[in-house]
Amino acid sequence: MENLENSTDCKETASPLNNSGSLLNNTDSRPDGRAMGFVLVHAGAGYHSESKAKEYKHVCKRACQKAVDRLRAGGMALEAVTAALIELEDSPFTNAGTGSNLNLSGEIECDASIMDGKSLNYGAVGALSGIKNPVLVARRLLSETQKGKLSAGRIPPCFLVGKGAEQWAISHGIPACPTEKMTTKFSLSGYKRNKRKMELAEQVEMKRKRQSCEHENDFGCLEPVGDIMVEGEENNSACLDTVGAVVVDREGNVAAAVSSGGLAMKHPGRVGQAAHYGCGCWAENARDISLYSTAVSTSGSGEHLIRTMLARECSTAMQAENTHQALLEAMQNKFISSPFLAGEDCVLGGVIVLRCCTCGEAQRSEDIQAVLVEFLWSHTTESMCVGYMSAQDSKARVSSSYI
């Protein structure tokens, strides 16, 4: 499908609809014994260098394969989406789990969330340190909420942050992993370079303030001082590579998940969209035969995605007849031109979207439940890497789209 964007200026362009597809998927086990289902993953919307394009494609393929393996074994959507996220988090090339960006203190703090379209339950962690796979903690939180109230009638948490999240994870059997084991040579070298640049910028600013009264020009204005950007910020979309996945299983249930190490050099304790309800991911089974089941996972600038609740907005938009036009309008009206982001120079984000419905003819059959699956992705960042695979496919397909 053709790329629909007209301009690369973030302030003016309508969101590009970079690709889409559809397939007729018999989601029950077929007579030939082949299990059914579908997965769509992303390795982030941001900037992905051409030199690492092969690595991003490989990890997307592996994530799809892990999810499909679960589906073929009879696993549900929630199991499959978790398997995909673990693979994405374990890659040293993604900004999630191992290899995550370091914060100002040189520590790794991760965000993650997961949502089950069948139960509508949700689990999330924010600013989590010391755990290799944050999505496992989010998944466990979701599972625990389904068990009902705790002792003395206490409501179980669905979202934990910081040290409390780490302690809860360990107490529930999820092993600890020190930051040094999750830090890669690439993330550490990037942190050191960024720290030097920030120190230099602070020195320049201090010097400028000291000389402000002595070095005014003829108009009484200070001479401009050039910006010293944190590494990658010159393209306005680097290091935004949150990872995520959406899945539909053999019963037509959908699930979505997202995980991120956050912005490079972020303030300790900062929590991005990957943990926030309705912002990082969304999954919702159709409650009526006239509606679609939808699953969404987002990536980009967390602050932009939080203020617009983009995941839920895109899910709502997918009830329209024309999915392509609906996603374009949602990205333009609910994100790029959102009044909640009116003061932003460049709005950065990307989404993967899946919607499915039971086909009319199949609804009358008790033997085979055919589900039509449609999937799309869109982004305003320089690039986005995605992968997708049906349980009937022999291998995953991947795409790296660039604006």
PDB file of all heavy atoms in Angstrom, residues 77-78 115-121 142 253-256 282-287 293-295:
ATOM      1  N   ALA A  77      -4.642 -15.475  23.690  1.00  0.00           N
ATOM      2  CA  ALA A  77      -4.031 -14.218  23.246  1.00  0.00           C
ATOM      3  C   ALA A  77      -3.104 -13.628  24.294  1.00  0.00           C
ATOM      4  O   ALA A  77      -2.027 -13.117  23.975  1.00  0.00           O
ATOM      5  CB  ALA A  77      -5.121 -13.207  22.874  1.00  0.00           C
ATOM      6  N   LEU A  78      -3.513 -13.705  25.567  1.00  0.00           N
ATOM      7  CA  LEU A  78      -2.706 -13.123  26.632  1.00  0.00           C
ATOM      8  C   LEU A  78      -1.358 -13.818  26.761  1.00  0.00           C
ATOM      9  O   LEU A  78      -0.329 -13.164  26.974  1.00  0.00           O
ATOM     10  CB  LEU A  78      -3.476 -13.215  27.960  1.00  0.00           C
ATOM     11  CG  LEU A  78      -3.111 -12.211  29.052  1.00  0.00           C
ATOM     12  CD1 LEU A  78      -3.292 -10.789  28.571  1.00  0.00           C
ATOM     13  CD2 LEU A  78      -3.966 -12.464  30.283  1.00  0.00           C
ATOM     14  N   MET A 115      -3.027  -5.707  28.495  1.00  0.00           N
ATOM     15  CA  MET A 115      -4.481  -5.671  28.638  1.00  0.00           C
ATOM     16  C   MET A 115      -5.103  -6.864  27.935  1.00  0.00           C
ATOM     17  O   MET A 115      -4.713  -7.224  26.819  1.00  0.00           O
ATOM     18  CB  MET A 115      -5.047  -4.362  28.078  1.00  0.00           C
ATOM     19  CG  MET A 115      -6.524  -4.160  28.360  1.00  0.00           C
ATOM     20  SD  MET A 115      -7.059  -2.471  28.010  1.00  0.00           S
ATOM     21  CE  MET A 115      -8.801  -2.583  28.444  1.00  0.00           C
ATOM     22  N   ASP A 116      -6.072  -7.473  28.597  1.00  0.00           N
ATOM     23  CA  ASP A 116      -6.789  -8.629  28.090  1.00  0.00           C
ATOM     24  C   ASP A 116      -8.154  -8.188  27.577  1.00  0.00           C
ATOM     25  O   ASP A 116      -8.974  -7.670  28.344  1.00  0.00           O
ATOM     26  CB  ASP A 116      -6.953  -9.654  29.220  1.00  0.00           C
ATOM     27  CG  ASP A 116      -7.781 -10.863  28.820  1.00  0.00           C
ATOM     28  OD1 ASP A 116      -7.800 -11.178  27.611  1.00  0.00           O
ATOM     29  OD2 ASP A 116      -8.389 -11.480  29.703  1.00  0.00           O
ATOM     30  N   GLY A 117      -8.402  -8.398  26.271  1.00  0.00           N
ATOM     31  CA  GLY A 117      -9.646  -7.935  25.685  1.00  0.00           C
ATOM     32  C   GLY A 117     -10.870  -8.683  26.155  1.00  0.00           C
ATOM     33  O   GLY A 117     -11.986  -8.153  26.118  1.00  0.00           O
ATOM     34  N   LYS A 118     -10.700  -9.908  26.613  1.00  0.00           N
ATOM     35  CA  LYS A 118     -11.832 -10.720  27.057  1.00  0.00           C
ATOM     36  C   LYS A 118     -12.348 -10.255  28.414  1.00  0.00           C
ATOM     37  O   LYS A 118     -13.550 -10.012  28.597  1.00  0.00           O
ATOM     38  CB  LYS A 118     -11.435 -12.190  27.112  1.00  0.00           C
ATOM     39  CG  LYS A 118     -12.571 -13.118  27.503  1.00  0.00           C
ATOM     40  CD  LYS A 118     -12.111 -14.572  27.496  1.00  0.00           C
ATOM     41  CE  LYS A 118     -13.267 -15.511  27.856  1.00  0.00           C
ATOM     42  NZ  LYS A 118     -12.843 -16.938  27.837  1.00  0.00           N
ATOM     43  N   SER A 119     -11.445 -10.122  29.376  1.00  0.00           N
ATOM     44  CA  SER A 119     -11.842  -9.722  30.729  1.00  0.00           C
ATOM     45  C   SER A 119     -11.794  -8.215  30.936  1.00  0.00           C
ATOM     46  O   SER A 119     -12.347  -7.700  31.903  1.00  0.00           O
ATOM     47  CB  SER A 119     -10.927 -10.384  31.758  1.00  0.00           C
ATOM     48  OG  SER A 119      -9.594  -9.886  31.637  1.00  0.00           O
ATOM     49  N   LEU A 120     -11.078  -7.527  30.048  1.00  0.00           N
ATOM     50  CA  LEU A 120     -10.803  -6.088  30.142  1.00  0.00           C
ATOM     51  C   LEU A 120      -9.915  -5.750  31.322  1.00  0.00           C
ATOM     52  O   LEU A 120      -9.775  -4.586  31.688  1.00  0.00           O
ATOM     53  CB  LEU A 120     -12.104  -5.270  30.213  1.00  0.00           C
ATOM     54  CG  LEU A 120     -13.034  -5.391  28.999  1.00  0.00           C
ATOM     55  CD1 LEU A 120     -14.246  -4.469  29.166  1.00  0.00           C
ATOM     56  CD2 LEU A 120     -12.306  -5.065  27.696  1.00  0.00           C
ATOM     57  N   ASN A 121      -9.291  -6.759  31.898  1.00  0.00           N
ATOM     58  CA  ASN A 121      -8.337  -6.505  32.980  1.00  0.00           C
ATOM     59  C   ASN A 121      -7.029  -5.963  32.420  1.00  0.00           C
ATOM     60  O   ASN A 121      -6.659  -6.220  31.269  1.00  0.00           O
ATOM     61  CB  ASN A 121      -8.078  -7.781  33.776  1.00  0.00           C
ATOM     62  CG  ASN A 121      -9.223  -8.111  34.718  1.00  0.00           C
ATOM     63  OD1 ASN A 121      -9.863  -7.210  35.258  1.00  0.00           O
ATOM     64  ND2 ASN A 121      -9.501  -9.392  34.903  1.00  0.00           N
ATOM     65  N   LEU A 142      -2.044  -8.406  36.420  1.00  0.00           N
ATOM     66  CA  LEU A 142      -3.326  -8.640  35.769  1.00  0.00           C
ATOM     67  C   LEU A 142      -3.955  -9.935  36.277  1.00  0.00           C
ATOM     68  O   LEU A 142      -5.145  -9.986  36.606  1.00  0.00           O
ATOM     69  CB  LEU A 142      -3.140  -8.687  34.250  1.00  0.00           C
ATOM     70  CG  LEU A 142      -4.388  -8.814  33.366  1.00  0.00           C
ATOM     71  CD1 LEU A 142      -4.122  -8.219  31.990  1.00  0.00           C
ATOM     72  CD2 LEU A 142      -4.845 -10.262  33.205  1.00  0.00           C
ATOM     73  N   ASN A 253     -10.348 -13.866  20.809  1.00  0.00           N
ATOM     74  CA  ASN A 253      -9.979 -12.949  21.886  1.00  0.00           C
ATOM     75  C   ASN A 253      -8.764 -12.129  21.477  1.00  0.00           C
ATOM     76  O   ASN A 253      -7.864 -12.641  20.811  1.00  0.00           O
ATOM     77  CB  ASN A 253      -9.647 -13.720  23.166  1.00  0.00           C
ATOM     78  CG  ASN A 253     -10.816 -14.527  23.679  1.00  0.00           C
ATOM     79  OD1 ASN A 253     -11.919 -14.021  23.797  1.00  0.00           O
ATOM     80  ND2 ASN A 253     -10.567 -15.801  23.970  1.00  0.00           N
ATOM     81  N   VAL A 254      -8.724 -10.882  21.901  1.00  0.00           N
ATOM     82  CA  VAL A 254      -7.588 -10.019  21.591  1.00  0.00           C
ATOM     83  C   VAL A 254      -6.860  -9.627  22.871  1.00  0.00           C
ATOM     84  O   VAL A 254      -7.427  -9.635  23.967  1.00  0.00           O
ATOM     85  CB  VAL A 254      -8.024  -8.736  20.834  1.00  0.00           C
ATOM     86  CG1 VAL A 254      -8.558  -9.087  19.461  1.00  0.00           C
ATOM     87  CG2 VAL A 254      -9.060  -7.953  21.637  1.00  0.00           C
ATOM     88  N   ALA A 255      -5.586  -9.309  22.720  1.00  0.00           N
ATOM     89  CA  ALA A 255      -4.764  -8.833  23.836  1.00  0.00           C
ATOM     90  C   ALA A 255      -3.708  -7.892  23.278  1.00  0.00           C
ATOM     91  O   ALA A 255      -3.338  -7.977  22.103  1.00  0.00           O
ATOM     92  CB  ALA A 255      -4.100  -9.998  24.565  1.00  0.00           C
ATOM     93  N   ALA A 256      -3.218  -6.984  24.116  1.00  0.00           N
ATOM     94  CA  ALA A 256      -2.197  -6.020  23.706  1.00  0.00           C
ATOM     95  C   ALA A 256      -1.221  -5.804  24.841  1.00  0.00           C
ATOM     96  O   ALA A 256      -1.577  -5.930  26.026  1.00  0.00           O
ATOM     97  CB  ALA A 256      -2.840  -4.693  23.304  1.00  0.00           C
ATOM     98  N   TRP A 282      -4.210  -1.036  24.397  1.00  0.00           N
ATOM     99  CA  TRP A 282      -5.636  -1.196  24.630  1.00  0.00           C
ATOM    100  C   TRP A 282      -6.091  -2.468  23.936  1.00  0.00           C
ATOM    101  O   TRP A 282      -5.659  -2.762  22.823  1.00  0.00           O
ATOM    102  CB  TRP A 282      -6.425  -0.007  24.091  1.00  0.00           C
ATOM    103  CG  TRP A 282      -7.868  -0.020  24.527  1.00  0.00           C
ATOM    104  CD1 TRP A 282      -8.947  -0.477  23.822  1.00  0.00           C
ATOM    105  CD2 TRP A 282      -8.375   0.450  25.773  1.00  0.00           C
ATOM    106  NE1 TRP A 282     -10.093  -0.332  24.554  1.00  0.00           N
ATOM    107  CE2 TRP A 282      -9.773   0.237  25.771  1.00  0.00           C
ATOM    108  CE3 TRP A 282      -7.789   1.014  26.907  1.00  0.00           C
ATOM    109  CZ2 TRP A 282     -10.592   0.575  26.845  1.00  0.00           C
ATOM    110  CZ3 TRP A 282      -8.602   1.350  27.973  1.00  0.00           C
ATOM    111  CH2 TRP A 282      -9.981   1.136  27.937  1.00  0.00           C
ATOM    112  N   ALA A 283      -6.964  -3.233  24.586  1.00  0.00           N
ATOM    113  CA  ALA A 283      -7.533  -4.444  23.981  1.00  0.00           C
ATOM    114  C   ALA A 283      -8.960  -4.588  24.465  1.00  0.00           C
ATOM    115  O   ALA A 283      -9.229  -4.458  25.673  1.00  0.00           O
ATOM    116  CB  ALA A 283      -6.718  -5.674  24.353  1.00  0.00           C
ATOM    117  N   GLU A 284      -9.872  -4.876  23.552  1.00  0.00           N
ATOM    118  CA  GLU A 284     -11.276  -4.956  23.916  1.00  0.00           C
ATOM    119  C   GLU A 284     -12.013  -5.882  22.954  1.00  0.00           C
ATOM    120  O   GLU A 284     -12.112  -5.598  21.760  1.00  0.00           O
ATOM    121  CB  GLU A 284     -11.896  -3.555  23.904  1.00  0.00           C
ATOM    122  CG  GLU A 284     -13.305  -3.489  24.407  1.00  0.00           C
ATOM    123  CD  GLU A 284     -13.812  -2.056  24.558  1.00  0.00           C
ATOM    124  OE1 GLU A 284     -13.049  -1.111  24.245  1.00  0.00           O
ATOM    125  OE2 GLU A 284     -14.956  -1.889  24.987  1.00  0.00           O
ATOM    126  N   ASN A 285     -12.508  -6.979  23.485  1.00  0.00           N
ATOM    127  CA  ASN A 285     -13.337  -7.864  22.680  1.00  0.00           C
ATOM    128  C   ASN A 285     -14.666  -7.181  22.350  1.00  0.00           C
ATOM    129  O   ASN A 285     -15.182  -6.400  23.167  1.00  0.00           O
ATOM    130  CB  ASN A 285     -13.644  -9.157  23.430  1.00  0.00           C
ATOM    131  CG  ASN A 285     -12.500 -10.147  23.398  1.00  0.00           C
ATOM    132  OD1 ASN A 285     -11.375  -9.811  23.026  1.00  0.00           O
ATOM    133  ND2 ASN A 285     -12.775 -11.376  23.806  1.00  0.00           N
ATOM    134  N   ALA A 286     -15.219  -7.511  21.190  1.00  0.00           N
ATOM    135  CA  ALA A 286     -16.522  -6.978  20.809  1.00  0.00           C
ATOM    136  C   ALA A 286     -17.586  -7.470  21.782  1.00  0.00           C
ATOM    137  O   ALA A 286     -17.652  -8.660  22.097  1.00  0.00           O
ATOM    138  CB  ALA A 286     -16.859  -7.406  19.387  1.00  0.00           C
ATOM    139  N   ARG A 287     -18.399  -6.560  22.302  1.00  0.00           N
ATOM    140  CA  ARG A 287     -19.479  -6.921  23.221  1.00  0.00           C
ATOM    141  C   ARG A 287     -20.792  -7.140  22.489  1.00  0.00           C
ATOM    142  O   ARG A 287     -21.790  -7.517  23.084  1.00  0.00           O
ATOM    143  CB  ARG A 287     -19.647  -5.818  24.274  1.00  0.00           C
ATOM    144  CG  ARG A 287     -18.391  -5.516  25.048  1.00  0.00           C
ATOM    145  CD  ARG A 287     -17.891  -6.732  25.813  1.00  0.00           C
ATOM    146  NE  ARG A 287     -16.520  -6.547  26.297  1.00  0.00           N
ATOM    147  CZ  ARG A 287     -15.796  -7.486  26.852  1.00  0.00           C
ATOM    148  NH1 ARG A 287     -16.280  -8.698  26.981  1.00  0.00           N
ATOM    149  NH2 ARG A 287     -14.562  -7.247  27.242  1.00  0.00           N
ATOM    150  N   SER A 293     -13.729  -6.389  17.549  1.00  0.00           N
ATOM    151  CA  SER A 293     -12.743  -6.512  18.616  1.00  0.00           C
ATOM    152  C   SER A 293     -11.509  -5.741  18.169  1.00  0.00           C
ATOM    153  O   SER A 293     -11.130  -5.794  16.991  1.00  0.00           O
ATOM    154  CB  SER A 293     -12.377  -7.979  18.860  1.00  0.00           C
ATOM    155  OG  SER A 293     -13.491  -8.699  19.335  1.00  0.00           O
ATOM    156  N   THR A 294     -10.858  -5.019  19.079  1.00  0.00           N
ATOM    157  CA  THR A 294      -9.722  -4.184  18.706  1.00  0.00           C
ATOM    158  C   THR A 294      -8.573  -4.344  19.692  1.00  0.00           C
ATOM    159  O   THR A 294      -8.787  -4.606  20.878  1.00  0.00           O
ATOM    160  CB  THR A 294     -10.111  -2.694  18.659  1.00  0.00           C
ATOM    161  OG1 THR A 294     -10.604  -2.299  19.953  1.00  0.00           O
ATOM    162  CG2 THR A 294     -11.187  -2.446  17.606  1.00  0.00           C
ATOM    163  N   ALA A 295      -7.369  -4.171  19.181  1.00  0.00           N
ATOM    164  CA  ALA A 295      -6.171  -4.191  20.030  1.00  0.00           C
ATOM    165  C   ALA A 295      -5.183  -3.182  19.461  1.00  0.00           C
ATOM    166  O   ALA A 295      -4.984  -3.116  18.246  1.00  0.00           O
ATOM    167  CB  ALA A 295      -5.547  -5.575  20.067  1.00  0.00           C
TER     168      ALA A 295
END
